[in-house]
Amino acid sequence: MAFDYDLFVIGGGSGGVRAARVASETGAKVALAEEYRMGGTCVIRGCVPKKLMVFASEYSEHARDAADYGWDITAGAFDWSKFRPRMRAELDRLESIYRTNVGKAGVDVFDTRATVADPHTVALATGQTVTAKHILIATGGRPFLPSETPGIELAMTSNDVFLMDDLPKKILIVGGGYIACEFACIFNGLGVETTQFYRGAQILRGFDDEARGHLAELIRGRGVNLHVGTDVQRMEERDGGIWVKASDGSEDVYDKVLYATGRKPNTADLGLEEAGVKLGRWGQIEVDEYSQTSVPSIFAVGDVTDRVNLTPVAIREGAAFVETVFKGNPTTVDHKDIPSAIFTQPEYGAVGLTEEEAREQEEIEVYCAAFRPMQGSFIGREERVLFKLIVSRASRKVLGCHIIAPGAGELIQFAGVAVKMGATKEDFDRTVAVHPTMSEEIVLMKQPVRTA
Ligand code: NDP
């Protein structure tokens, strides 16, 4: 049977664009549909604009430090109206690069919503239908809001942050995950009075317990009014703002309330179940290790599959799909020991196991150093960085590395290589320190702080 295309990709984010581009380079006839803007969550309303806001928000601290170092500097107020057009122009530039690159690769782009009509047919919102030998779903995720909370319609999500006309003076952030913690630090750094509510006992569930506690203290130390064990009970429009009644009985009025309470896969109304594609409990597309769904002609990559929801992982899954299906080289993605960073202030970079996970698995030694780095201690800053290694007693391999420090996102990339290679504690010890740096501590920790 002749199809219009060899591959039709639904979703122009990181995973979809990579798959479309490399599939097209093999000579396959490829089309891609995107209903919003090319680049997806990462480029348009996620990692990229978030990181630009992180940079912007760090200057308040830099300015204070510079003054303490002897510079004649006073940090004025942050001007959102100056920053926002620059940020938007950068996103426009990146979107156009994405569009140009898929175009150059020979991919036909449809700027419209597409749904699955049957295992080989895609229906476009324009009324057109297109057939394809393979369909790849790469529709990502969207913010989840708890609909049962009274007044939830007053809240905004991370999608709205980058579109705000004005910077709020006072904000409440709800959640204790990546997005909530990052935005709490961003708004705080921009000079916004910032409160964060997290319903559980400690932020960043799933990360290393010691690191979570350490980071929570630093976030508080920087000025975020962080409340754990606290949730929103109800919200109402009052006094020109949003009145919030909290589960601890307190009440306050905020200019904005930002909910960062997780993300859900974008699978609603895509025609997937009707076509026979099996979805999981949270609406995620169930796939095998080759990203193939329960319908053999339909594959899925990235956040819509809810495996490891990170841009570089979606890109790898997209590339592995093309290797498997278009290059005859069955390829899986290794989801183990993926380094990641939370862009809080300071940052938290992690790779491998947490101490708690490692203890469950085998006997371990824990090496940990928490200290005031030279740059801060010189000007009397109390903030301590944290370097932590979790080591297998049997194999001596470093099973996990956790770093909380300025630039930890950059450091963990390199620690990630060592952990992925299976480096032992003795390999770290054999490596000569780079002096004077903070990170030299990672090769200088001689005695375990505990064994288990
Ligand atoms: P997370 O799943 O990381 O965190 C969600 C948070 O919301 C948790 O603290 C959760 O609490 C809380 N929560 C969930 N439901 C409710 C509710 N009904 N009421 C109150 N609180 C609730 O999601 P994020 O949105 O922060 O991030 C989504 C994903 O995006 C991440 O998992 C990550 O993969 C990716 N990401 C990565 C970044 C990076 O690499 N730097 C940056 C941003 C996002 P509890 O712990 O109790 O469940």
Side-chain angles (χ1 to χ4, degrees):
M1 180 181 169
F3 296 104
D4 298 327
Y5 289 98
D6 297 310
L7 172 65
F8 197 104
V9 179
I10 304 182
S14 304
V17 164
R18 176 57 59 96
R21 229 161 35 83
V22 288
S24 191
E25 284 162 7
T26 67
K29 194 162 181 238
V30 182
L32 180 149
E34 167 57 54
E35 65 180 332
Y36 184 54
R37 295 181 65 180
M38 199 67 96
T41 300
C42 173
V43 176
I44 303 300
R45 49 196 170 194
C47 322
V48 172
K50 179 276 304 287
K51 194 77 191 277
L52 294 174
M53 287 184 73
V54 169
F55 291 142
S57 65
E58 285 175 338
Y59 283 104
S60 52
E61 197 75 20
H62 292 336
R64 278 193 288 276
D65 286 358
D68 286 341
Y69 264 90
W71 287 91
D72 182 12
I73 285 181
T74 38
F78 172 72
D79 187 347
W80 175 250
S81 69
K82 260 193 187 162
F83 170 77
R84 195 189 55 175
R86 220 175 231 269
M87 174 176 70
R88 288 199 182 164
E90 178 62 3
L91 304 188
D92 291 346
R93 188 182 73 83
L94 293 172
E95 182 185 9
S96 115
I97 290 173
Y98 265 70
R99 190 173 284 282
T100 307
N101 286 348
V102 283
K104 268 194 204 153
V107 176
D108 289 342
V109 176
F110 294 91
D111 289 301
T112 185
R113 181 169 172 80
T115 55
V116 175
D118 70 40
H120 291 288
T121 309
V122 170
L124 303 179
T126 53
Q128 199 182 345
T129 56
V130 180
T131 59
K133 188 169 181 201
H134 301 286
I135 298 172
L136 179 70
I137 313 293
T139 47
R142 64 179 189 288
F144 157 78
L145 287 160
S147 55
E148 67 281 5
T149 305
I152 193 69
E153 67 285 355
L154 300 172
M156 66 171 184
T157 69
S158 57
N159 285 353
D160 307 313
V161 169
F162 313 111
L163 303 172
M164 287 184 315
D165 289 330
D166 304 298
L167 198 65
K169 288 195 169 51
K170 186 170 169 181
I171 194 166
L172 170 66
I173 294 173
V174 183
Y178 278 84
I179 298 180
C181 294
E182 289 180 345
F183 275 113
C185 293
I186 288 171
F187 280 109
N188 179 57
L190 294 177
V192 178
E193 188 183 334
T194 306
T195 300
Q196 182 181 358
F197 286 176
Y198 172 53
R199 65 181 178 181
Q202 188 53 280
I203 55 168
L204 296 170
R205 186 164 62 82
F207 284 87
D208 185 90
D209 278 353
E210 187 174 27
R212 294 163 71 195
H214 188 95
L215 186 60
E217 280 316 304
L218 299 192
I219 289 176
R220 286 194 180 98
R222 292 259 181 143
V224 174
N225 188 14
L226 169 63
H227 294 261
V228 294
T230 310
D231 209 350
V232 171
Q233 255 178 7
R234 60 184 305 112
M235 289 180 280
E236 285 172 19
E237 249 176 325
R238 267 195 211 175
D239 306 329
I242 304 168
W243 170 82
V244 176
K245 175 84 190 279
S247 58
D248 62 3
S250 65
E251 299 174 22
D252 210 340
V253 177
Y254 302 89
D255 298 322
K256 297 267 185 210
V257 176
L258 168 62
Y259 262 71
T261 44
R263 294 176 63 84
K264 288 272 178 280
N266 259 334
T267 47
D269 306 323
L270 274 182
L272 292 167
E273 283 172 298
E274 295 81 347
V277 174
K278 201 163 167 248
L279 302 185
R281 197 165 155 214
W282 307 110
Q284 78 275 23
I285 299 180
E286 301 213 330
V287 288
D288 67 10
E289 70 268 42
Y290 297 104
S291 297
Q292 190 170 32
T293 71
S294 50
V295 175
S297 59
I298 302 180
F299 291 72
V301 294
D303 288 8
V304 76
T305 63
D306 198 21
R307 284 176 280 182
V308 179
N309 298 332
L310 297 170
T311 294
V313 177
I315 291 173
R316 288 205 171 204
E317 289 168 358
F321 155 75
V322 174
E323 279 292 322
T324 304
V325 174
F326 290 93
K327 298 189 183 173
N329 174 28
T331 302
T332 58
V333 172
D334 178 3
H335 289 102
K336 193 169 170 272
D337 292 336
I338 293 171
S340 76
I342 308 169
F343 293 99
T344 42
Q345 290 166 35
E347 297 171 1
Y348 173 15
V351 62
L353 302 182
T354 65
E355 182 178 338
E356 296 69 39
E357 288 165 341
R359 271 171 199 269
E360 288 287 305
Q361 181 179 294
E362 61 186 282
E363 293 190 341
I364 55 165
E365 289 176 355
V366 177
Y367 295 81
C368 189
F371 58 95
R372 293 165 69 205
M374 189 193 220
Q375 192 175 6
S377 72
F378 177 73
I379 50 173
R381 244 188 212 237
E382 291 302 321
E383 196 170 276
R384 288 172 309 137
V385 295
L386 179 120
F387 287 83
K388 177 168 178 178
L389 292 179
I390 295 137
V391 176
S392 160
R393 287 177 78 177
S395 70
R396 306 300 300 153
K397 280 187 183 167
V398 174
L399 304 172
C401 175
H402 301 266
I403 302 175
I404 296 176
E410 305 291 342
L411 299 176
I412 206 69
Q413 183 69 80
F414 293 98
V417 176
V419 171
K420 194 74 194 160
M421 287 176 74
T424 61
K425 176 67 172 66
E426 286 64 36
D427 291 325
F428 275 68
D429 295 345
R430 284 190 299 119
T431 308
V432 174
V434 178
H435 186 70
T437 63
M438 290 181 295
S439 55
E440 64 183 306
E441 208 55 39
I442 208 96
V443 297
L444 295 175
M445 294 187 283
K446 294 285 175 256
Q447 293 299 323
V449 291
R450 54 191 168 269
T451 53

